[in-house]
Amino acid sequence: MPSLLGALAAGFVTCLGLIVAIGAQNAFVLRQGIRREHVAVVVALCLTGDVVLTAAGIAGLGPLVSAHPAALTVTRWCGAVFLAWLAVAAVRRARHPERLDPAAAGPASRRSVVTTCLALTFLNPHVYLDTVVLLGSLAHVQPHPWGFGVGVVLGSAGWFSALGFGATRLAPLFARPRAWQVLDLVVAAVMATLAVTLVVA
């Protein structure tokens, strides 16, 4: 049970470290929340994308590792390098914090909102590196890979729900560059710790 809870916590923290950063998808979710336009649809689509891609990474990497154990070593080192790069990128963002403007004009119809959300989710190559490759790799250094996956889903659900449904309260905070600066420094610390974990596991 302790190892399962540890895997859940690791998945939760890792997910937040990856998705809690200023970007097009988060800006879109926040904007729709402030405008109160199709918020439930947007949150559900973002969460579904994370569930599908994370499950694909965990399920797909398992058989590969069983057949080719060396593949895990290569994937772990690649993942560690990628995590280190994310940490450096977060520190660089913290040095030059941005201001998120969620009130910019956006699509209003349900079809436009759905299309935009799907494009931001599935047409971004980084999402595949984050979920299929990176989270799949991290899951398999845990004693309970699927427990790690559940933690990822919980983190994703919590973040997108808070961002979408709590947008009116979060907007003033995330409009401040200082808030993103602090957040990016936390993300950098999480990514660096995970990179070390992958290498020494």
Side-chain angles (χ1 to χ4, degrees), residues 93-178:
R93 288 197 306 269
R95 292 178 61 188
H96 304 285
E98 301 180 48
R99 180 180 183 276
L100 183 63
D101 182 12
S109 70
R110 181 183 294 269
R111 173 178 289 184
S112 296
V113 168
V114 169
T115 301
T116 302
C117 188
L118 289 175
L120 290 173
T121 301
F122 293 105
L123 295 184
N124 180 2
H126 289 292
V127 75
Y128 296 97
L129 290 174
D130 291 348
T131 54
V132 177
V133 177
L134 184 55
L135 291 178
S137 301
L138 287 170
H140 284 279
V141 300
Q142 298 290 331
H144 298 280
W146 288 106
F148 179 89
V150 171
V152 169
V153 172
L154 291 176
S156 178
W159 170 251
F160 286 122
S161 296
L163 199 60
F165 296 110
T168 53
R169 294 184 179 182
L170 292 173
L173 174 64
F174 287 115
R176 302 174 184 174
R178 178 67 66 181

Side-chain angles (χ1 to χ4, degrees), residues 5-201:
L5 292 178
L8 280 167
F12 186 86
V13 172
T14 303
C15 176
L16 292 181
L18 288 172
I19 67 175
V20 180
I22 190 169
Q25 187 185 49
N26 284 336
F28 180 74
V29 175
L30 186 58
R31 183 178 65 211
Q32 295 306 122
I34 291 174
R35 294 164 64 92
R36 295 186 175 89
E37 290 180 346
H38 317 297
V39 180
V41 173
V42 170
V43 171
L45 286 174
C46 291
L47 177 58
T48 300
D50 280 358
V51 170
V52 171
L53 293 174
T54 300
I58 296 174
L61 195 61
L64 177 63
V65 171
S66 298
H68 307 283
L72 179 60
T73 301
V74 173
T75 305
R76 283 169 60 182
W77 277 98
C78 290
V81 171
F82 182 57
L83 283 167
W85 177 81
L86 288 176
V88 172
V91 171
R92 293 178 64 183
R93 288 197 306 269
R95 292 178 61 188
H96 304 285
E98 301 180 48
R99 180 180 183 276
L100 183 63
D101 182 12
S109 70
R110 181 183 294 269
R111 173 178 289 184
S112 296
V113 168
V114 169
T115 301
T116 302
C117 188
L118 289 175
L120 290 173
T121 301
F122 293 105
L123 295 184
N124 180 2
H126 289 292
V127 75
Y128 296 97
L129 290 174
D130 291 348
T131 54
V132 177
V133 177
L134 184 55
L135 291 178
S137 301
L138 287 170
H140 284 279
V141 300
Q142 298 290 331
H144 298 280
W146 288 106
F148 179 89
V150 171
V152 169
V153 172
L154 291 176
S156 178
W159 170 251
F160 286 122
S161 296
L163 199 60
F165 296 110
T168 53
R169 294 184 179 182
L170 292 173
L173 174 64
F174 287 115
R176 302 174 184 174
R178 178 67 66 181
W180 286 107
Q181 187 176 45
V182 172
L183 190 58
D184 279 326
L185 288 175
V186 173
V187 168
V190 171
M191 295 297 100
T193 301
L194 291 172
V196 173
T197 301
L198 266 184
V199 173
V200 302

